[in-house]
Amino acid sequence: MLRQDYGVCFCFRRVFKRTIAEPPEDVKDLFNRYSQNGLMAMDEFRTFLVEHQGEEKTTIEDVQDIYASLKNAIWPRRGLSLIVFFRYLFGDLNLPLPPPKVHQDMNAPLAHYFLYTGHNSYLTGNQLGSDSSVVPIIRALKQGVRVIELDLWPNSSKDGIDVYHGGTLTSPVELSKCLQAIKENAFLASEYPVIITFEDHLDAKLQAKVAEMVLQTFGDMLFFPESEFLHEFPSPEFLKGKVLISGKPPKQLPETMRAKKVVQKNEFDENEEEEKAAPEYKSLIAIHAWKTKGGQNGLLDIDPIKVRRLSLSETQLENAVKFHGTDVVRFTQRNLLRVYPKGTRISSSNYDPLPGWTHGAQMVAVNMQGYDKYLWITQGMFRANGGCGYVKKPELLLNVGPNNEVFDPRSSHPIKTILKIKVLMGDGWHLDFPRTYFDPFSPPDFFVKLHIAGVPADEAKEQTRPIEDEWRPVWKEEFEFRLTVPELAILRIVVREFDMDRRHGFGGQTCLPVSELRTGIRAVPLHNKKGEEYKSVKLLMHFQFV
């Protein structure tokens, strides 16, 4: 054990013993079950991986690779000791999600996927006065975001295009710089398509300039539809390495109507130019965006001939799912639905993405600079499918019954599985945080909070007791979550440092898609509030589905 001193006042100091990490009883029991004479041979280790960890496809070659990575710690070389076995379980080779690799079918239409979507992707901070920059665009793309939003406005001299949040004090950034940043970073994290949504506030002349910029920047990377509209969206696999433009197609008035407007004016009206659509700009738009007509009833209007993208604010979505929930699900089986934060979120906070996802909304747009629990949940959702930015919708959101019925997330459904979670221990805070970071007078008092985010029936929260004055807390507490729709569930894990005033400190977080959780004992890396992984902080947890 190591000593740690904490000053209480000028005259007194408190001395604490810092324990050395040792295997909890669960790990010792497993080691004893799968080893002989204090060593775990390769075939015994493979049996452990197959039987207890659920890694049924593990080969002896895989085991040899694991042993090779641990060779400096294995002595004698005939097998793993308890300490080395524990080191493996708490290491980077034993994570709760599969290795990052695309494993879902990527040949379905775009409407069959959830897309990692950003909102006002150019903003560095709040929605009213922060700077517009290419930096958050680059950061988002490197994190796997596949939908980038740009607001297009005339620059101060009216001869160029800037990107900024209109009607606010946000500073502008040139569109050309944003497009170049997207080109250079679009496919670093994922090879699957990037969609740029244009919120266009330009006249026809500037639209033509946008078309020229886009063509010059992206060239062959740009996807052009073969016809004026799409009957069905292409697949992510077909669109690999492509950039798509999404926006509202400019309307061009018939010549007779435009002439009538001119006759009615006694002098030249500069705004008359806005009546003319730029055909080269219109031809860029691969995914057409439209507004609903007739309020929420517009969701009922599903065009059998062409597909489109609909945008709703989070408030509009709340009303839509309240009164027309199954219609939203039906709409999103062929069409794209984008949801965006309401205008009062000036601090760039986020909203709960689950109502959108559970009703099939593909583009639930988040403020990537809004470091809150809903951003964490979004990051967790898109850790699935190798982190490629596209997650296949579960079949229940795509199926249509014999009586034209579709999935209703608000209805009661039978329990499909019970997720059992045992929080064993945690480690690494003493390496990543200063000694007095959590408490100037003593070691931290950590506890773990668990939350299932999903359909309303599956929402649940649990937490462990705080372990006082311990950098390496051992909880050994077990919880059960009964899940009706595990395909849409996200497990949120947060570590807090207990405070008597209830303003608990933050000790790390992560969110994991339940559908991809690996069973058995797993090392769960934690992240900071921005979603960046800590170097050392991990939890050791046991997952089981029954």
Side-chain angles (χ1 to χ4, degrees):
M1 293 188 178
L2 302 175
R3 289 164 50 98
Q4 279 193 331
D5 295 351
Y6 288 82
V8 179
C9 63
F10 292 109
C11 303
F12 299 99
R13 300 190 69 79
R14 301 176 70 191
V15 179
F16 296 88
K17 295 179 180 179
R18 195 175 75 204
T19 57
I20 297 174
E22 64 175 49
E25 289 301 318
D26 296 64
V27 173
K28 292 178 182 178
D29 291 343
L30 281 172
F31 182 79
N32 291 332
R33 189 191 311 170
Y34 289 97
S35 66
Q36 296 182 37
N37 302 320
L39 288 176
M40 188 180 291
M42 284 191 183
D43 58 337
E44 294 166 337
F45 183 61
R46 179 181 176 277
T47 302
F48 160 75
L49 293 177
V50 172
E51 290 184 356
H52 188 80
Q53 302 290 86
E55 300 178 29
E56 298 175 353
K57 297 181 179 180
T58 302
T59 64
I60 196 65
E61 288 77 17
D62 297 327
V63 173
Q64 289 172 345
D65 291 341
I66 294 173
Y67 270 55
S69 70
L70 299 169
K71 63 182 179 181
N72 293 331
I74 297 175
W75 185 265
R77 297 180 182 275
R78 289 176 292 121
L80 303 180
S81 67
L82 172 60
I83 296 303
V84 177
F85 178 64
F86 176 49
R87 188 177 303 176
Y88 164 77
L89 290 178
F90 226 154
D92 293 335
L93 297 177
N94 186 44
L95 300 178
L97 298 181
K101 180 182 178 181
V102 175
H103 58 85
Q104 296 176 349
D105 176 18
M106 303 301 285
N107 290 294
L110 282 181
H112 290 200
Y113 299 83
F114 299 118
L115 283 63
Y116 202 172
T117 303
H119 172 252
N120 288 353
S121 305
Y122 49 87
L123 285 182
T124 57
N126 67 63
Q127 302 288 311
L128 290 183
S130 65
D131 291 334
S132 301
S133 168
V134 300
V135 172
I137 296 174
I138 295 170
R139 185 186 302 119
L141 290 168
K142 288 183 176 180
Q143 292 175 356
V145 172
R146 298 290 86 191
V147 184
I148 298 293
E149 180 188 21
L150 302 178
D151 287 286
L152 310 184
W153 295 86
N155 64 10
S156 56
S157 58
K158 309 297 182 184
D159 59 355
I161 302 98
D162 280 340
V163 174
Y164 62 93
H165 194 196
T168 69
L169 298 177
T170 56
S171 67
V173 60
E174 294 176 16
L175 172 62
S176 58
K177 293 181 178 179
C178 295
L179 298 178
Q180 188 63 34
I182 293 172
K183 177 184 179 181
E184 293 173 0
N185 297 276
F187 304 109
L188 297 181
S190 171
E191 59 187 344
Y192 289 97
V194 167
I195 299 171
I196 307 174
T197 62
F198 283 161
E199 295 295 324
D200 169 12
H201 308 276
L202 307 173
D203 61 23
K205 288 183 178 179
L206 291 181
Q207 286 176 347
K209 275 197 170 185
V210 171
E212 184 180 357
M213 283 185 197
V214 170
L215 288 168
Q216 287 181 351
T217 303
F218 296 112
D220 293 339
M221 295 169 65
L222 203 62
F223 171 76
F224 288 95
E226 295 180 355
S227 57
E228 184 179 353
F229 55 82
L230 294 169
H231 174 68
E232 185 177 62
F233 290 115
S235 71
E237 187 69 28
F238 178 80
L239 295 169
K240 234 185 224 184
K242 293 293 185 180
V243 174
L244 289 78
I245 304 299
S246 178
K248 187 179 179 183
K251 292 183 178 179
Q252 183 168 355
L253 293 177
E255 288 295 328
T256 54
M257 291 185 64
R258 198 156 58 236
K260 183 177 180 181
K261 277 182 171 282
V262 174
V263 169
Q264 288 175 344
K265 300 179 187 295
N266 295 323
E267 57 186 22
F268 178 76
D269 183 357
E270 293 181 357
N271 290 330
E272 195 271 333
E273 282 295 317
E274 298 180 11
E275 308 289 351
K276 303 175 183 177
E280 60 269 51
Y281 177 78
K282 187 176 181 179
S283 66
L284 288 180
I285 299 175
I287 300 176
H288 290 194
W290 300 94
K291 290 184 178 180
T292 57
K293 297 180 180 179
Q296 301 296 349
N297 290 329
L299 290 172
L300 298 172
D301 300 334
I302 300 175
D303 195 322
I305 298 176
K306 58 185 178 182
V307 290
R308 58 189 172 115
R309 191 202 91 202
L310 177 69
S311 287
L312 296 177
S313 70
E314 61 175 287
T315 306
Q316 290 173 317
L317 178 73
E318 288 175 8
N319 293 329
V321 301
K322 184 176 180 180
F323 299 106
H324 306 281
T326 55
D327 295 323
V328 177
V329 174
R330 190 174 286 106
F331 177 85
T332 57
Q333 291 180 336
R334 288 193 68 238
N335 300 280
L336 295 176
L337 176 57
R338 175 178 172 269
V339 185
Y340 58 92
K342 59 186 177 184
T344 55
R345 294 189 180 276
I346 58 175
S347 64
S348 293
S349 63
N350 286 299
Y351 56 100
D352 186 353
L354 267 303
W357 291 334
T358 57
H359 286 84
Q362 298 89 347
M363 300 179 175
V364 179
V366 294
N367 293 309
M368 297 298 294
Q369 72 278 33
Y371 306 124
D372 52 27
K373 65 180 180 181
Y374 295 128
L375 176 63
W376 303 343
I377 289 173
T378 302
Q379 292 169 336
M381 164 66 93
F382 290 100
R383 289 190 176 106
N385 201 25
C388 73
Y390 285 81
V391 175
K392 185 79 162 57
K393 287 186 190 181
E395 289 301 313
L396 57 88
L397 282 172
L398 302 171
N399 292 336
V400 179
N403 299 315
N404 201 34
E405 69 270 19
V406 295
F407 174 73
D408 185 353
R410 295 190 170 205
S411 297
S412 67
H413 302 276
I415 293 173
K416 284 187 180 179
T417 188
I418 298 174
L419 171 60
K420 288 187 174 183
I421 300 176
K422 191 169 187 179
V423 184
L424 296 171
M425 64 176 294
D427 198 4
W429 288 280
H430 67 289
L431 299 174
D432 291 349
F433 292 88
R435 182 172 57 90
T436 57
Y437 180 87
F438 296 102
D439 191 326
F441 307 118
S442 68
D445 309 327
F446 289 127
F447 66 98
V448 180
K449 301 178 71 173
L450 305 176
H451 170 218
I452 292 289
V455 298
D458 292 349
E459 294 272 345
K461 295 181 180 180
E462 297 284 358
Q463 69 180 53
T464 69
R465 70 193 188 284
I467 302 297
E468 294 184 7
D469 303 329
E470 183 55 72
W471 283 101
R472 290 187 172 104
V474 178
W475 291 282
K476 295 189 291 186
E477 293 190 49
E478 191 168 358
F479 307 95
E480 290 187 0
F481 297 94
R482 298 174 182 273
L483 304 177
T484 62
V485 189
E487 302 95 328
L488 292 170
I490 307 292
L491 171 63
R492 182 164 69 94
I493 305 168
V494 182
V495 174
R496 295 286 184 183
E497 200 278 327
F498 183 82
D499 231 327
M500 292 295 293
D501 62 4
R502 300 292 174 179
R503 292 185 293 181
H504 305 309
F506 177 80
Q509 61 82 25
T510 193
C511 291
L512 304 170
V514 170
S515 63
E516 297 209 359
L517 270 182
R518 299 202 293 177
T519 56
I521 291 182
R522 299 294 175 180
V524 181
L526 298 185
H527 305 75
N528 62 20
K529 292 183 178 180
K530 293 183 178 181
E532 300 162 339
E533 188 175 315
Y534 290 124
K535 291 182 180 179
S536 310
V537 179
K538 293 185 180 73
L539 296 176
L540 192 65
M541 305 177 70
H542 188 277
F543 302 104
Q544 181 184 6
F545 291 99
V546 295

